[in-house]
Amino acid sequence: MSSGDDFLARLKEYEGRAAAVAGVGKDPVNEPMIRHWCEAMDDGNPAYRGPDAIAPPTMLQAWTMGGLSGHEGRTDAYDELLALLDDAGCTSVVATDCEQEYLRPLRPGDEITFDAVIESVSALKTTKLGTGHFVTTRMDVRADGELAGTHRFRILKYAPAQHKPKGRRPRPVINRDNAAFWEGVGRHRLLIQRCEGCGTLRFPWLPGCNACGCLEWDAVEASGEGTVYSYVVMHHPPFPAFDPPYAVGLIELAEGVRIVSNVVGVPYDEVRIGMPVRLRFERYDEELELPVFSADGGRAARVGHTGRAGQAEHEGGEG
């Protein structure tokens, strides 16, 4: 990898040069996208609904994205910078963070335009992912010609580090509030709490009902059927015993509650919202077995049936 002062000076020559010029949002700000965003984020703020609705400010970048076909406004300078880093061995990329400033609300019907500049290229940095350079771009987003906000986006272009031997997965924290849940996992049963006062199902396990406050509960066994309500693909940061990238899903069970778990059985980039999944239990070492959800078209292990799992023993409530 090129890492000397001369190479850094070449990278620094790109600072201040345009990364995108006269970009145009592919769609005006619109109510369907606002609704989809709010559903995905579980954001019920009334400001985002009705005749005077505004778009959630954090959607600022969404209106500038080019989708699968991309944008034509990206400059040669930005492509040259990335190619220079590729030639230096920094062939991998990961988005690290972004910063946004909001100057005016966006409303349905606003036409979005934008320009972006290469704001900075860092000196050589060593991270757990590998060694490389952080590249920061600043995008100015305009609505009907008026500056609406800025979006700084930072990536790391790096040469992957050599992986160290895998460690053990972290152990779950088991206490008197969730012990019965983990006892169920040990018997290959996914148990959901049920309030004895109002019958509300709840997950994760809690000492009391968040609907009526009742401290008494029993448990039902999940059928194992569910769908992917939302998901993320984990690239960074890396943890011992995990092999990124991998999919972590928010799974909506047939019973109506949701659980966070790994989605397995298909490549991480094939996971989709709404995908049917089924519970299975996966052993990671001699001590640890966890519930995961398989989207592999029916090869998952079958599990139990919905029904009362009996009163789990607990002290001072359950979680």
Side-chain angles (χ1 to χ4, degrees):
M1 176 188 296
S2 298
S3 57
D5 292 341
D6 290 344
F7 181 68
L8 179 59
R10 291 179 64 192
L11 297 178
K12 289 289 187 180
E13 290 176 358
Y14 287 89
E15 293 183 345
R17 298 180 65 179
V21 177
V24 178
K26 290 202 167 181
D27 297 285
V29 177
N30 61 85
E31 293 177 359
M33 283 298 295
I34 294 173
R35 184 179 70 253
H36 295 326
W37 178 280
C38 290
E39 288 176 355
M41 299 298 179
D42 196 20
D43 190 341
N45 191 319
Y48 308 144
R49 302 191 304 269
D52 297 321
I54 63 172
T58 49
M59 288 188 74
L60 183 68
Q61 184 194 21
W63 309 112
T64 70
M65 299 177 77
L68 295 178
S69 59
H71 273 296
E72 297 179 356
R74 200 162 89 169
T75 64
D76 290 342
Y78 190 70
D79 289 335
E80 289 169 8
L81 172 60
L82 298 187
L84 192 60
L85 290 165
D86 284 340
D87 291 343
C90 300
T91 55
S92 296
V93 63
V94 63
T96 61
D97 63 284
C98 71
E99 304 169 20
Q100 293 183 335
E101 298 176 72
Y102 312 117
L103 303 179
R104 57 149 282 189
L106 297 178
R107 303 182 183 278
D110 283 343
E111 298 283 350
I112 300 301
T113 56
F114 58 90
D115 298 282
V117 64
I118 302 167
E119 192 168 66
S120 65
V121 184
S122 78
L124 191 67
K125 303 290 184 181
T126 300
T127 72
K128 288 186 177 181
L129 279 180
T131 301
H133 299 265
F134 290 93
V135 178
T136 304
T137 55
R138 189 194 75 244
M139 178 184 293
D140 293 329
V141 181
R142 295 177 175 82
D144 296 329
E146 179 184 357
L147 187 63
T150 62
H151 173 79
R152 283 181 174 84
F153 189 66
R154 188 170 294 109
I155 63 172
L156 173 65
K157 283 281 288 176
Y158 65 99
Q162 296 298 317
H163 289 293
K164 296 180 180 179
K166 293 174 63 174
R168 281 160 46 101
R169 283 201 173 212
R171 309 290 102 171
V173 176
I174 301 176
N175 54 39
R176 66 181 186 180
D177 287 335
N178 65 14
F181 169 77
W182 290 107
E183 290 168 4
V185 170
R187 301 193 302 272
H188 286 190
R189 304 171 79 191
L190 182 63
L191 300 181
I192 305 169
Q193 275 186 308
R194 178 172 57 189
C195 174
E196 289 194 344
C198 66
T200 298
L201 298 179
R202 65 180 185 261
F203 196 93
W205 285 38
L206 298 169
C209 179
N210 54 7
C212 72
C214 178
L215 298 179
E216 301 301 321
W217 56 271
D218 63 2
V220 297
E221 183 177 355
S223 68
E225 303 291 343
T227 57
V228 177
Y229 183 82
S230 184
Y231 71 95
V232 296
V233 175
M234 297 298 297
H235 293 271
H236 180 78
F239 293 101
F242 292 82
D243 291 319
Y246 55 91
V248 179
L250 178 60
I251 308 301
E252 185 161 79
L253 300 179
E255 293 74 17
V257 298
R258 298 171 189 158
I259 178 174
V260 175
S261 183
N262 288 107
V263 180
V264 301
V266 294
Y268 70 90
D269 55 356
E270 293 182 12
V271 177
R272 296 291 183 269
I273 291 174
M275 173 182 285
V277 291
R278 185 168 182 83
L279 172 69
R280 78 183 191 198
F281 293 86
E282 193 157 302
R283 180 166 293 281
Y284 293 94
D285 56 44
E286 68 281 359
E287 299 175 353
L288 185 65
E289 193 168 18
L290 296 174
V292 298
F293 287 84
S294 176
D296 58 3
R299 295 195 297 274
R302 295 183 62 81
V303 297
H305 62 277
T306 303
R308 185 183 180 96
Q311 178 73 33
E313 295 181 1
H314 62 287
E315 298 179 16
E318 156 50 21

